[in-house]
Amino acid sequence: MIKKKTTRPKKSGAKKNASEKGKPSGLWMVKQEPETYSWDDLVRDGRTDWTGVRNFQARNNLRQMKVGDRVLFYHSGTGKCVVGLAEVAKPAYSDPTADDPQWVAMDLKPVKRLNEPVPLASIRYHPKLANLPLIRQSQLSVMALTKEEFETILGMGAGKKVRKR
């Protein structure tokens, strides 16, 4: 007698982040110190090249970005909050500020300022954001987000009460 092998989906206690699943979500977060280049600078300029990334994981994330992908703009250092929604205007290209061709840049343009900044403290304690790379890998400057993470933060920034489950 031949037994039929059945496969069951593996259960996992923690939800995986978009970048951990290996599939780009088209939803991202970038971090920048406002003293160096703020959301207001991006709005004033209308577009900027996102150069100077020298972390391998962040670089790999930049390489996955496509024109039209949505990007949350996070002020690190002073403020520590998500302040705006941007969009990828040009996909990855060789970073002109680097001596090594392995480093890439991309272009970003503003879409809109959030109605309310979303502070790190609110993000840190929201159950839907427990696996957010911002929390788990605090030094990462370019990170992929899941649709749920992205929409939760956008909802918080819109001033909506986002249900916590």
Side-chain angles (χ1 to χ4, degrees):
M1 182 166 107
I2 300 174
K3 281 190 170 185
K4 210 179 207 183
K5 188 176 180 179
T6 58
T7 57
R8 294 183 183 152
K10 293 180 182 178
K11 293 183 180 179
S12 173
K15 291 182 181 177
K16 289 191 174 185
N17 178 278
S19 62
E20 292 170 345
K21 292 177 185 173
K23 295 180 183 177
S25 63
L27 304 170
W28 308 92
M29 181 183 290
V30 295
K31 291 170 42 180
Q32 180 62 49
E33 293 179 10
E35 300 83 10
T36 305
Y37 194 83
S38 71
W39 172 258
D40 290 336
D41 294 328
L42 178 59
V43 170
R44 179 196 65 226
D45 296 344
R47 182 174 174 150
T48 193
D49 53 347
W50 207 259
T51 60
V53 172
R54 300 295 183 267
N55 170 286
F56 291 105
Q57 187 175 357
R59 178 209 56 198
N60 293 344
N61 288 336
L62 286 175
R63 286 179 174 169
Q64 293 183 62
M65 292 178 156
K66 303 205 177 345
V67 172
D69 281 1
R70 298 299 183 147
V71 182
L72 294 175
F73 194 103
Y74 179 85
H75 277 170
S76 60
T78 305
K80 294 188 182 188
C81 57
V82 178
V83 293
L85 175 64
E87 182 176 289
V88 175
K90 182 178 179 182
Y93 56 91
S94 184
D95 186 338
T97 68
D99 294 331
D100 187 335
Q102 74 172 319
W103 301 111
V104 297
M106 60 89 180
D107 285 5
L108 197 62
K109 65 182 181 181
V111 173
K112 69 175 186 173
R113 175 181 295 279
L114 299 183
N115 292 342
E116 298 177 16
V118 182
L120 178 60
S122 296
I123 293 169
R124 183 179 307 277
Y125 297 108
H126 195 294
K128 289 184 179 180
L129 303 175
N131 291 314
L132 192 71
L134 180 67
I135 308 295
R136 302 178 66 79
Q137 296 175 281
S138 62
Q139 298 300 311
L140 191 61
S141 63
V142 179
M143 58 201 79
L145 303 179
T146 65
K147 183 176 181 183
E148 182 177 50
E149 291 166 342
F150 189 85
E151 289 177 352
T152 298
I153 294 170
L154 270 186
M156 293 165 75
K160 297 177 185 172
K161 295 289 181 194
V162 179
R163 230 174 77 188
K164 296 179 182 183
R165 289 195 269 172

